[in-house]
Amino acid sequence: YYALHYIARTRINKVADKMYACSNEAGLWLFGEKNRDNFTVVNNGIDTDVFRFNPELREKKRKEMGLSGFTIFHAGAFSAVKNQSYLISAFAQFHKKYPNSHLLLAGTGELIYLARDTARELGVSESVQFLGQRSDVNKIMQAADMLVLPSLKEGLPFAAIEAQATGLFCII
């Protein structure tokens, strides 16, 4: 992993005709001090109007999804690094104390069947909704009370930025 980064960093300036980075620090790390003025910073951004909290939309979406209690949301590909099985196990403990709670999981991937099995084995499958790939994550975030992203390793996921724009409490 680190070897690939080293190789890429030593060769990128020879082949790149345009240089972009997500921050000044990332650009300096990747392109070097000698290229300080040669790369463009493109900040990770979202359309905040799409994610702005809307109480009417919240109630409409909660009713549509059959949500009445505390609702936890997670968005991400079902893969080992995203750690959904751990999230479902933690939710099972939470659900014992708050039986009207819900867990919404958006995404697809090779480990979705393991996650469904985990929910069934822990007795929370009735309170866990597997939503699949969605184009309305902004509306689902409106319905939720919290975003949880228990990834084993990850940078700053867009879901966290979007949730913060919604005003959603986040555990990452």
Side-chain angles (χ1 to χ4, degrees):
Y1 177 73
Y2 294 108
L4 291 175
H5 277 182
Y6 176 77
I7 292 167
R9 285 177 59 199
T10 58
R11 296 197 171 120
I12 197 161
N13 291 321
K14 296 174 186 165
V15 297
D17 60 341
K18 299 218 185 314
M19 299 178 191
Y20 296 97
C22 62
S23 71
N24 193 53
E25 293 79 12
L28 290 173
W29 177 86
L30 183 59
F31 303 116
E33 185 66 40
K34 67 180 179 170
N35 284 308
R36 174 179 283 282
D37 297 323
N38 296 332
F39 63 86
T40 302
V41 173
V42 179
N43 294 307
N44 294 336
I46 60 164
D47 180 355
T48 55
D49 288 337
V50 173
F51 290 91
R52 184 166 288 120
F53 181 71
N54 179 325
E56 293 83 24
L57 177 59
R58 173 181 169 79
E59 289 310 311
K60 178 182 176 187
K61 195 68 176 174
R62 286 180 68 84
K63 186 175 182 179
E64 175 186 307
M65 298 181 80
L67 305 173
S68 56
F70 191 84
T71 302
I72 299 169
F73 179 59
H74 171 84
F78 281 82
S79 63
V81 73
K82 297 293 187 177
N83 210 12
Q84 285 99 343
S85 289
Y86 173 79
L87 173 57
I88 294 167
S89 297
F91 174 74
Q93 295 301 311
F94 182 83
H95 191 60
K96 286 179 186 174
K97 189 169 184 175
Y98 303 98
N100 198 26
S101 58
H102 306 274
L103 175 60
L104 308 177
L105 300 168
T108 60
E110 71 270 8
L111 296 182
I112 194 165
Y113 298 106
L114 175 63
R116 286 185 177 162
D117 290 346
T118 301
R120 196 171 20 261
E121 289 168 9
L122 295 173
V124 292
S125 58
E126 295 295 319
S127 298
V128 177
Q129 292 184 35
F130 291 87
L131 305 175
Q133 193 70 32
R134 300 295 292 243
S135 60
D136 62 343
V137 167
N138 59 318
K139 294 176 182 174
I140 296 169
M141 284 185 177
Q142 298 279 333
D145 297 299
M146 176 188 300
L147 175 81
V148 178
L149 301 174
S151 298
L152 297 173
K153 58 181 178 179
E154 187 168 5
L156 179 60
F158 267 100
I161 296 167
E162 294 166 345
Q164 290 172 355
T166 305
L168 205 52
F169 183 73
C170 301
I171 297 178
I172 302 170

